[in-house]
Amino acid sequence: MSSPTWTGQPILSLLGGKEEDRFTEFLVHLLQAPEVLRAFMGEVCGIEVSDSELVSLKTRMQVTVPGGRPDIAIQGLARYCLFEAKVSSWLHDEQLPSYFQELQKWKSDHPEGQAHLFLIAPSQSSRGLLQTALQQLNQEAVTTVDIGVLDWEKIADVLARASEQVSAPRLRVYLQDFKELVVCRMGEGGRPFTREEALLLGDPLVARALLRARRLVGPIVANLEGLHGGELKYRRRAGPEWDGYELRMEDRWWWLGFWPDAWATAGESALFLQLPGFREQDFGRLPSNLMQPLRYLAPNKVTWWLIPLLLREQIELEVLVAEHASMVSDWLKGFPDSGGLDSPPREN
């Protein structure tokens, strides 16, 4: 199935206001082409569609459902997908239940159909966004609606590959342009600041929040000392872009602290516990009570495994500090192999 008469104008989306809207509109223009929609559904969403189903699928943006307005809807005779897209923002409080209820209602009217709820986010924030989504839906009976998170980076890769299969020359160009836009925005190249970034950096509340997060590290270490007494040795270790403490116990070492570069890449928090002894094969023997680590590729191409110390809202700081100290203690005592045996490097 081809689209030689495709007439979309995705470049117009760049004139929009809100960042998520610009990316979403660009994507929706591209999905009007059947071969692009097929690649998106199959390789990104994991949904294989037949030729007959492909014809029935309609893609719309900024649709309205009772109590909400998801960014994208893809709907056919036997399938209904809603998408909430994020680039630099997070989920609003109770944003997803109305989408879920809309899909549940459609599912009850189409018992043979399939309903899906997807979030679209940068790869570094996708895991945290999914956790937030599941928290919002924890009161719902999530049994008949599939929920997942899609990465902008993967979407861009899939659509760029799809450009080799399309017959419309303009569409091929726009598919490649979409990938370049995503790489530019999600990467760390020498691009200008976006409007959203400039607004964030101009807000002193952002600076105060970061300072408060950084100042939590010392109390967490002090709490750890209270838990382990003389077993735990620690010393300050900081660099130009990171600040924290080396922790030592039973000839193993870990690092705990404020690490913005890892935050920008791995996502979820500005505070991390670094696991220098952890290896990918350790997932198979990881105790069930321990959070799965995030993978972080440092600028020097060294891979580290990290545990984000989530800065949850509306939690008294003493309670939050105690929770993080307990979690770190679980790693030090419950999985000591996660600590390094060699000397810590000069730079993280």
Side-chain angles (χ1 to χ4, degrees), residues 37-50:
L37 179 58
R38 185 196 293 276
F40 175 78
M41 295 295 287
E43 297 184 50
V44 178
C45 302
I47 301 171
E48 297 299 327
V49 295
S50 64

Side-chain angles (χ1 to χ4, degrees), residues 6-21:
W6 177 77
T7 58
Q9 294 283 347
I11 202 68
L12 297 179
S13 66
L14 301 181
L15 301 178
K18 190 178 177 183
E19 192 173 29
E20 277 89 355
D21 293 346

